[in-house]
Amino acid sequence: MTVSTPGSAWKIAADVLDPELPVVTIADLGILRDVTEDDQGRVHVQITPTYSGCPAMETISADLVEALTTAGYQHVDVEFVLAPAWTTDWMSEEAKVKLAAYGVAPPGPVALVLAVRCPQCGSLDTRESSRFGSTACKSLWVCGSCREPFDHFKAH
Ligand SMILES: [Zn+2]
């Protein structure tokens, strides 16, 4: 197996999908902070968890190691960087569009989080039904217009 050309480790790492939201990559979400390669072909990846209790980070770490070793990198280590803390501002506009298409209400500015638009029908007549949705990163909301429940990716 040939080692990929220098500089391609970032691209491989950036293509890893979020295990909970498999329509967006970890680069889209702003989780991927840095990828460095040394002249021995060792790759060091830094990721910042979206939420301190997110079990997805272990999966993301394993997926990163797998993607990079499959690409020919023999030594891959993944470091969790906790400071500065991840914010939804790091999420790309493209990620927010993809999340909306996937049925997850994308985060708005923190101050506007009480007005969450229903990803199904676009209504703003929504309310939070549970602080925790399918994962700790998301809360569960219900739409008053179409009565559909949906996940809201918490802004924090
Ligand atoms: Zn609705």
Side-chain angles (χ1 to χ4, degrees), residues 2-58:
T2 53
V3 171
S4 302
T5 51
S8 60
W10 167 272
K11 219 197 148 307
I12 294 159
D15 281 343
V16 170
L17 296 172
D18 183 280
E20 292 171 356
L21 303 164
V23 290
V24 287
T25 66
I26 59 171
D28 282 337
L29 287 173
I31 294 171
L32 187 64
R33 303 314 301 162
D34 197 25
V35 180
T36 53
E37 288 171 65
D38 69 13
D39 51 14
Q40 310 292 316
R42 281 186 289 251
V43 180
H44 182 71
V45 182
Q46 291 184 317
I47 52 177
T48 295
T50 52
Y51 193 79
S52 56
C54 236
M57 297 312 288
E58 292 299 331

